[in-house]
Structure formats: structure tokens, C-alpha cells
Amino acid sequence: MSGSPFIKGDYQIKECGGGWWSCVCECEARDVCRAAPAVHGHLARAARNARGLALTVSDEWQMLWSGPTTMDSYVKEFGIRARAALARLDTKQPAADYMPTEVDLRSFLRPSRVIWALRAHTAARLNCNIHALTLSVKWNWNEGESTQSGIVVRGVRLSGAQWAGSALAPCTAAAPPHAPAPPLLLRYVLQESDNELVWERSVEVPVYNNEARESIVFSARAPLVQHFEPDLATLHAIALFIAAND
């Protein structure tokens, strides 16, 4: 982190251009710019004093970015997001109506920004109120399939169920507590639109910001396999969460 421009007192974030995605990039960078000096300053003081780092993260850090509670994990995860924010700033300014077709949610301090940007972008494209839109989710998006008007999100894990190729199924007794989730294609569509996916049997799956399920980023309705009733699926506390970086 010592070489990051975000820790320099005179660093100025350049304008990212117009459009909702540019807004995401700039806001992410500003959040990193606020948090990086606090994180770097603490690490530098600890190094000068030749003391071991505290086992838990200070409240000051968590107020700037709510990350892992152990020091080494926090610094690693924050560093990855800081580098991603800088890389987005260094890319060529996109057109005002630009939205990416695929993102890894593990590279954002606040992944909810991506979801809100997609919603606002869709509302502007359709010339409608954002409250007239509902989120449509296609599970298990495959390479080569269309992403028109949507974003494929990666970096999430699934707990309380397993993906059985085309729907959610109960976990086996020997299954791990969570597993990688398939890629999700997110689209905002007009409510009651013919484009909205409808399944005979489904459940609303919350997507949390981390494994501790501290806050919900969005919800993704998912199909269920035959004989897996929605009430039973709810008892399994099925959830997605944004994973830590490997």
C-alpha cells in the first residue's frame, strides 16, 4: 500500500466523466482515498514501534469500510479493492451511457453501487421511474449468452443450498458450509414485463455483503428443484454472499 497514490495528502481524484458507471468509479475512489491514510498510518506507526499488529480491526477502520475483523485479512481485502479502484480511474473515460457487461463484486468497497448504477442506467434508458423497475436474475449464465441490458456478476458464494445445474437443491450432509455460486446475469425490467423470469417453484435469496450477513446488497429470486418446497427452502436460510478474495 506504501506506493498507492491514495495515501498522498495532495492526491486529487480526476473527473471520471459522465454517466452512472463513471459515478461508481469516482465514488469508489473517494471512499478508498478517505480510508487508505487511516489504514496506512496505523501500519506505519506499528512498524516504527516494532510492535505486533492488533488481532482485531479498529472501529475507525470499520466505519470507513466494513471489512474482515482480523487485521491481516482486512489489509489484504482493502488493498485489492484499492488497486481495483485505481485501475478503474486509470482506464479511458467511458461514454456517458456505458455500463460494463461483467463485474467481480469482490473488487468493490460498496458493491451496492454497482446494483444501483444498473438500475438508474436502465431507468434512464427506458425513460421511466426507477421504482417502476424490478430485478430479473438469470442463474448460471454461460459464456456466449447475451448480456444485453444487464451485468454478469461474479465473486459470490452460496450457502444453505447447492446449485444442481438448473435450480437450487438441498445440501447433502457432507456438503461444505458454502460453495461457489454460478454467474448471475442481472437485469432491471419493467414490473410485470414479459422479460421477467417466472418459475413454478422459486425462493427469494438475499445477497449479503459478506459471510457474516451484515447487510443485504440485493435479492435474487432462484428456481427450486422438484420436491424442494419454498417453505422448506426458507428454513434452510439460503443466502448468497460476496466472497473474500482467494
Side-chain angles (χ1 to χ4, degrees), residues 200-214:
E200 178 182 355
R201 183 183 289 101
S202 65
V203 66
E204 195 77 15
V205 181
V207 183
Y208 292 94
N209 64 325
N210 55 31
E211 188 175 357
R213 304 188 180 192
E214 290 180 329

Side-chain angles (χ1 to χ4, degrees), residues 187-207:
R187 285 192 179 104
Y188 273 98
V189 298
L190 290 169
Q191 296 181 26
E192 302 179 357
S193 168
D194 292 338
N195 293 325
E196 188 176 357
L197 294 174
V198 178
W199 297 287
E200 178 182 355
R201 183 183 289 101
S202 65
V203 66
E204 195 77 15
V205 181
V207 183

Side-chain angles (χ1 to χ4, degrees), residues 14-16 21 25 84-94 98:
K14 62 183 180 182
E15 293 295 329
C16 294
W21 185 248
C25 297
L86 184 61
R88 286 189 288 267
L89 284 184
D90 287 343
T91 57
K92 181 180 178 181
Q93 291 187 3
Y98 170 80

Side-chain angles (χ1 to χ4, degrees), residues 1-245:
M1 189 183 297
S2 59
S4 174
F6 288 122
I7 64 174
K8 299 176 181 178
D10 59 349
Y11 178 71
Q12 297 291 323
I13 296 175
K14 62 183 180 182
E15 293 295 329
C16 294
W20 287 103
W21 185 248
S22 295
C23 210
V24 170
C25 297
E26 185 172 338
C27 289
E28 280 283 309
R30 292 191 184 282
D31 275 357
V32 172
C33 209
R34 282 191 291 268
V39 175
H40 183 263
H42 181 97
L43 296 174
R45 288 191 297 272
R48 285 197 301 269
N49 295 334
R51 295 202 314 261
L53 297 179
L55 296 178
T56 58
V57 176
S58 67
D59 291 341
E60 177 190 8
W61 289 15
Q62 292 289 9
M63 290 176 65
L64 293 168
W65 173 59
S66 179
T69 56
T70 58
M71 185 73 71
D72 55 348
S73 296
Y74 189 100
V75 173
K76 172 191 171 185
E77 293 294 326
F78 179 79
I80 289 171
R81 288 160 177 79
R83 287 193 295 273
L86 184 61
R88 286 189 288 267
L89 284 184
D90 287 343
T91 57
K92 181 180 178 181
Q93 291 187 3
D97 62 347
Y98 170 80
M99 285 294 288
T101 57
E102 186 173 337
V103 296
D104 188 332
L105 294 178
R106 297 175 298 175
S107 66
F108 294 87
L109 287 178
R110 309 199 193 285
S112 56
R113 285 194 178 112
V114 176
I115 312 304
W116 275 103
L118 175 61
R119 188 174 186 179
H121 180 269
T122 304
R125 180 175 56 84
L126 297 179
N127 193 26
C128 69
N129 191 294
I130 61 170
H131 300 296
L133 299 172
T134 186
L135 184 62
S136 175
V137 181
K138 183 185 187 303
W139 289 66
N140 202 29
W141 175 86
N142 294 307
E143 297 287 346
E145 291 183 336
S146 174
T147 59
Q148 184 178 5
S149 306
I151 294 179
V152 176
V153 295
R154 300 183 183 272
V156 294
R157 294 185 71 85
L158 174 65
S159 63
Q162 59 185 356
W163 183 252
S166 60
L168 293 178
C171 290
T172 62
H178 51 78
L184 305 176
L185 174 61
L186 309 183
R187 285 192 179 104
Y188 273 98
V189 298
L190 290 169
Q191 296 181 26
E192 302 179 357
S193 168
D194 292 338
N195 293 325
E196 188 176 357
L197 294 174
V198 178
W199 297 287
E200 178 182 355
R201 183 183 289 101
S202 65
V203 66
E204 195 77 15
V205 181
V207 183
Y208 292 94
N209 64 325
N210 55 31
E211 188 175 357
R213 304 188 180 192
E214 290 180 329
S215 65
I216 294 178
V217 179
F218 63 97
S219 292
R221 182 157 290 277
L224 300 173
V225 297
Q226 192 175 11
H227 306 309
F228 193 19
E229 295 300 328
D231 288 345
L232 180 59
T234 300
L235 290 176
H236 284 230
I238 300 172
L240 293 163
F241 65 88
I242 298 172
N245 287 277

